[in-house]
Amino acid sequence: NPKLKDAGISIYPNPAKEYVTIDLSDLTSNATVLIYDYLGRLVKKESLNTTSSRIETSNLQKGTYIVKVDSDNGLASKILIVD
C-alpha cells in the first residue's frame, strides 16, 4: 500500500470544538477514520464514504489527538487539537 500523501487530507477547523470536517481529495474507495488520544487509545472510529465528512468531536476531552485515515490508497495521519 502506498502511503497516502498527507496533503490529500485536510482537517478543519483545527483546533476543533463541536465537530471537525475531514476532506479527502483523492478518496477512491471507502476509508476509515481512526482518532487516537495522546496515549494511543482509540477514542473514535468512523467510516467515510464521501470525500468530505463531518466528525463529531464535542464528546472528546480537550487535548491533542492523532487522526489516521486508512483507505485503499494507504494510510495518512494528522494531528488534531480539540479545544
Side-chain angles (χ1 to χ4, degrees):
N1 264 4
K3 183 160 170 55
L4 245 171
K5 292 185 175 58
D6 287 353
I9 297 180
S10 37
I11 297 177
Y12 57 90
N14 194 0
K17 291 193 186 306
E18 285 87 38
Y19 67 90
V20 66
T21 300
I22 299 180
D23 278 346
L24 308 173
S25 63
D26 51 2
L27 179 68
T28 58
S29 61
N30 291 341
T32 303
V33 173
L34 306 160
I35 302 180
Y36 295 91
D37 67 11
Y38 67 97
L39 294 175
R41 295 177 298 206
L42 180 64
V43 293
K44 195 172 233 342
K45 178 179 179 178
E46 295 209 15
S47 295
L48 303 182
N49 48 20
T50 62
T51 53
S52 181
S53 298
R54 184 181 273 205
I55 308 280
E56 186 88 20
T57 55
S58 59
N59 57 344
L60 297 178
Q61 293 183 353
K62 291 182 180 183
T64 303
Y65 294 85
I66 298 166
V67 178
K68 292 189 177 180
V69 178
D70 190 5
S71 77
D72 290 346
N73 291 344
L75 186 66
S77 25
K78 290 266 192 186
I79 301 293
L80 169 68
I81 294 164
V82 175
D83 198 4

